[in-house]
Amino acid sequence: DSKFDRYIVAVDRKQHDKACEILLCRMDRPHMRAFHAAWFSFFVAFFTWFAVTPLLSDIQDTLKLSKQQVWTSSVCGTAGTILMRILMGP
């Protein structure tokens, strides 16, 4: 006995209509839009948080930044991360 007559994806009727496939490239459903927004946000956060640190001395030399400017940018990055964690939730 199925809950619905038809589904967008293939389902296994013997296992209470569990999906047999995931359409990862479809953006028409809200849960897939949320999934893609989540992995993209995680990638951006991970990249911006960890990619700059090994290159900081080169960036500092190229842009001729003082130690105070580097410290300020680090504080702003951390504060932005904390603010976004509060706004977006855990």
Side-chain angles (χ1 to χ4, degrees):
D1 188 35
S2 294
K3 188 173 183 179
F4 298 103
D5 291 333
R6 70 179 196 95
Y7 293 93
I8 294 174
V9 297
V11 296
D12 186 357
R13 304 250 182 219
K14 295 177 184 175
Q15 293 187 16
H16 305 291
D17 295 346
K18 289 184 181 178
C20 298
E21 62 184 353
I22 298 174
L23 303 176
L24 288 177
C25 296
R26 301 278 305 261
M27 296 293 280
D28 56 343
R29 306 280 299 187
H31 59 279
M32 289 311 292
R33 288 193 299 266
F35 170 74
H36 289 301
W39 75 257
F40 185 73
S41 299
F42 177 76
F43 171 77
V44 169
F46 189 84
F47 183 77
T48 58
W49 189 260
F50 293 108
V52 174
T53 304
L55 302 172
L56 194 54
S57 61
D58 291 332
I59 293 170
Q60 185 177 5
D61 293 340
T62 302
L63 297 177
K64 296 177 179 44
L65 299 174
S66 67
K67 288 187 178 185
Q68 179 66 35
Q69 290 172 319
V70 171
W71 184 83
T72 303
S73 69
S74 296
V75 169
C76 289
T78 304
T81 301
I82 292 169
L83 177 66
M84 289 311 293
R85 290 287 299 198
I86 291 169
L87 292 175
M88 298 300 287

